[in-house]
């Protein structure tokens, strides 16, 4: 083995040993407490048939980005089967996937008078999308990926782009690259818990994204050299990571543990190496100059003031750069407002869509919206799924096939859909 190999191996051993020592000396009791709570949650969910599936399953497909990377996508049509007036594209953030929007997809599908269709996708190297080369894991490329998704899955008609965290940065990059799209088709933009830059200046992101952080740099190198070792270490500290996720993703200390499980599962489904590939681009992200390009659309800027990942002040900076934007401050809410306060986020998205629709014509629109989710689910018995509730007269759910059987859309202007193997 080379000297470099022995050096990395020594660092790896030191990290694993240090993690074990810390776990044994400082957090063993806390881990037992968390493990017991998670076991109780698992038992409760099993007794009640698990967490009822939220949202509406759509038609899964994939889009090929301009560099050949496959992006996993999903389309959800209106529940009433009517022709939609516009398309809402949901763009998730760093270390997550399209399940970020599980609480909004049903709300969007149930809108009517007029109705909308929804497009969701997993960013490159996230979720079910293909792992991308490290040098392509940049905000600039994410903007081009979003453009490819729009050209393939929503080539015509008005658009509303709803984004979270790194997804907001993706939308800003798209505005830099294709300003004409925001003058011609994008009628509305939602920027949720995001930033125009200064990500490496303070707090947890400042520590994580710093170019001078030797731990992160070593972890990135180790993940590339010995990914199995890194993933084994992550699994060994699973309960501790779960507790950290709860602390940094949510502001409410009493948040439903199922919501913590959801974020933890999304993070865990992404390889450590895939996540460290984005460290540099997040640390150098600076797109304040791109914001004026959004002023031609209706803009919603929404964030929680208890966000430990991206401080609320970052949203104020965005709103100051777009005087026509609506700034919404959610008190006591953390980095995942769409999961922590989904009804409030639904209401704001409904208002944004109404304002955006008014931009597409001269009529004044008033959407027919579903009741808040607590009322929608009040009639469902314990352990009863949405499908069982549907059988008692509820709305029908639109389902698509598995990913491998979905449509493949090429990321080129005017590209037509084709089926796998055709």
């Amino acid at each position: 083995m080379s000297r470099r190999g022995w050096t990395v191996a020594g660092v790896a051993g030191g990290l694993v040993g240090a993690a074990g020592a810390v776990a044994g000396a400082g957090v063993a009791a806390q881990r037992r407490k968390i493990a017991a709570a998670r076991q109780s949650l698992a038992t409760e969910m099993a007794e009640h048939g698990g967490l009822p599936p939220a949202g509406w399953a759509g038609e899964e497909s994939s889009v090929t980005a301009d560099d050949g990377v496959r992006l996993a996508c999903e389309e959800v049509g209106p529940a009433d089967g009517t022709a939609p007036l516009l398309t809402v594209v949901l763009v998730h953030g760093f270390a997550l996937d399209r399940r970020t929007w599980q609480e909004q997809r049903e709300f969007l599908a149930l809108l009517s008078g007029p109705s909308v269709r929804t497009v969701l996708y997993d960013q490159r190297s996230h979720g079910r999308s293909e792992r991308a080369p490290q040098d392509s894991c940049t905000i600039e490329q994410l903007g081009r990926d979003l453009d490819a998704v729009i050209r393939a899955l929503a080539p015509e008609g008005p658009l509303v782009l709803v984004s979270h965290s790194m997804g907001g940065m993706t939308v800003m990059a798209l505005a830099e690259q294709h300003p004409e799209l925001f003058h011609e088709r994008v009628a509305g933009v939602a920027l949720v818990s995001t930033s125009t830059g200064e990500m490496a200046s303070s707090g947890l992101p400042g520590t994580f994204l710093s170019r001078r952080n030797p731990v992160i740099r070593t972890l990135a190198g180790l993940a590339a050299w010995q990914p199995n070792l890194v993933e084994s270490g992550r699994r060994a500290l699973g309960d501790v990571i779960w507790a950290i996720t709860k602390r940094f993703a949510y502001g409410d200390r009493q948040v439903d543990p199922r919501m913590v499980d959801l974020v933890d599962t999304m993070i865990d489904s992404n390889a450590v190496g895939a996540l460290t590939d984005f460290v540099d681009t997040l640390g150098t992200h600076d797109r304040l100059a791109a914001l004026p390009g959004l002023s031609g659309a209706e803009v919603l800027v929404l964030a929680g003031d208890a966000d430990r990942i991206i401080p609320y002040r970052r949203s104020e900076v965005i709103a100051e750069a777009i005087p026509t934007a609506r700034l919404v401050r959610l008190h006591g809410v953390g980095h995942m407002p769409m999961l922590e306060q989904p009804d409030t986020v639904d209401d704001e998205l409904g208002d944004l869509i109404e304002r955006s629709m008014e931009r597409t014509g001269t009529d004044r629109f008033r959407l027919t919206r579903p009741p808040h989710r607590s009322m929608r689910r009040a009639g469902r018995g314990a352990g009863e799924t949405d499908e069982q509730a549907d059988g008692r007269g509820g709305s029908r759910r639109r389902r698509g096939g598995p990913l491998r059987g979905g449509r493949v859309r090429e990321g080129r202007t005017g590209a037509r859909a084709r089926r796998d193997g055709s």
Side-chain angles (χ1 to χ4, degrees):
M1 183 184 294
S2 66
R3 176 173 297 189
R4 179 179 180 277
W6 282 113
T7 301
V8 176
V11 172
L15 288 174
V16 173
V22 170
V27 301
Q30 181 68 6
R31 289 184 66 182
R32 287 194 295 271
K33 180 179 179 181
I34 296 169
R38 295 185 71 186
Q39 181 61 39
S40 175
L41 172 63
T43 301
E44 177 188 347
M45 292 175 69
E47 290 175 349
H48 293 86
L51 181 65
W56 291 58
E59 182 178 359
E60 297 192 21
S61 61
S62 63
V63 167
T64 303
D66 59 1
D67 63 349
V69 171
R70 180 190 59 79
L71 306 173
C73 305
E74 189 175 356
E75 302 166 69
V76 182
D80 59 11
T82 59
L85 182 66
L86 58 74
T87 299
V88 176
V89 182
L90 302 176
V91 192
H92 71 79
F94 173 69
L96 304 171
D97 59 46
R98 64 181 184 265
R99 286 174 290 179
T100 295
W101 308 105
Q102 76 157 27
E103 297 297 302
Q104 282 65 54
R105 52 195 293 151
E106 182 178 20
F107 168 79
L108 293 170
L110 291 172
L111 291 175
S112 61
S115 57
V116 305
R117 67 187 287 263
T118 307
V119 170
L120 310 89
Y121 73 103
D122 294 335
Q123 302 255 37
R124 61 176 50 218
S125 294
H126 289 69
R128 295 186 182 183
S129 287
E130 186 178 0
R131 177 76 179 268
Q134 180 181 7
D135 60 3
S136 75
C137 294
T138 65
I139 300 299
E140 290 82 359
Q141 182 60 54
L142 296 185
R144 291 191 287 270
D145 290 351
L146 175 54
D147 179 54
V149 170
I150 290 172
R151 284 186 282 116
L153 301 184
E156 299 178 347
L159 300 165
V160 171
L161 307 180
V162 178
S163 59
H164 171 248
S165 195
M166 187 176 74
M169 304 173 196
T170 301
V171 170
M172 297 174 201
L174 178 66
E176 277 186 334
Q177 297 160 4
H178 296 283
E180 75 285 352
L181 187 64
F182 289 78
H183 290 290
E184 298 168 2
R185 296 189 56 204
V186 177
V189 175
L191 302 170
V192 180
S193 304
T194 190
S195 175
T196 60
E198 299 182 348
M199 289 291 294
S201 61
S202 63
L204 178 66
T207 301
F208 182 77
L209 300 176
S210 173
R211 292 177 177 272
R212 296 181 294 275
N213 187 333
V215 175
I216 296 303
R217 297 302 158 185
T218 301
L219 181 62
L222 188 59
W225 183 61
Q226 287 287 352
N228 291 337
L229 179 62
V230 173
E231 295 300 335
S232 295
R234 178 162 74 167
R235 287 192 295 272
L237 296 174
D239 291 329
V240 173
I241 294 173
W242 189 90
I244 294 173
T245 298
K246 178 180 179 181
R247 174 173 176 77
F248 282 94
Y250 297 101
D252 182 4
R253 297 299 92 204
Q254 305 302 316
V255 66
D256 188 339
R258 294 172 178 80
M259 294 294 101
V260 183
D261 268 1
L262 174 59
V263 175
D264 182 67
T265 299
M266 285 191 284
I267 295 173
D268 189 59
S269 67
N270 296 308
V272 172
L275 301 183
T276 58
D277 287 346
F278 285 88
V279 167
D280 283 340
T281 194
L282 290 171
T284 58
H285 164 67
D286 181 5
R287 285 176 172 77
L288 185 63
L291 294 182
L294 305 180
S295 59
E298 294 293 330
V299 179
L300 166 67
V301 182
L302 181 148
D305 59 13
D307 191 337
R308 294 178 176 86
I309 305 296
I310 299 180
Y312 177 75
R313 173 58 188 159
R314 302 287 190 266
S315 292
E316 292 180 321
V317 169
I318 295 173
E320 289 167 0
I322 310 175
T324 56
R326 171 174 168 76
L327 176 63
V328 178
R329 178 174 187 163
L330 302 182
H331 296 284
V333 174
H335 191 60
M336 304 293 294
M338 70 288 294
L339 297 176
E340 189 168 351
Q341 287 196 3
D343 286 332
T344 301
V345 173
D346 286 354
D347 289 342
E348 291 296 337
L349 291 182
D351 291 346
L352 173 66
I353 291 171
E354 282 186 350
R355 297 195 302 272
S356 301
M357 285 178 170
E358 290 174 11
R359 281 184 174 269
T360 66
T362 57
D363 295 334
R364 186 170 185 82
F365 290 98
R366 184 67 176 176
L367 286 171
T368 299
R369 312 184 191 192
H372 283 170
R373 56 192 32 79
S374 58
M375 298 178 63
R376 296 204 300 268
R377 297 169 183 170
R380 179 170 56 208
E384 184 179 27
T385 66
D386 288 339
E387 288 88 346
Q388 290 168 331
D390 290 346
R392 295 188 292 102
S395 299
R396 295 182 61 189
R397 178 177 295 227
R398 178 173 178 253
R399 291 200 174 276
L403 183 62
R404 63 180 180 274
R407 290 174 292 167
V408 178
R409 302 283 180 56
E410 303 296 332
R412 296 187 295 270
T413 303
R416 304 189 65 173
R418 62 178 174 84
R419 292 197 177 273
D420 286 345
S422 61

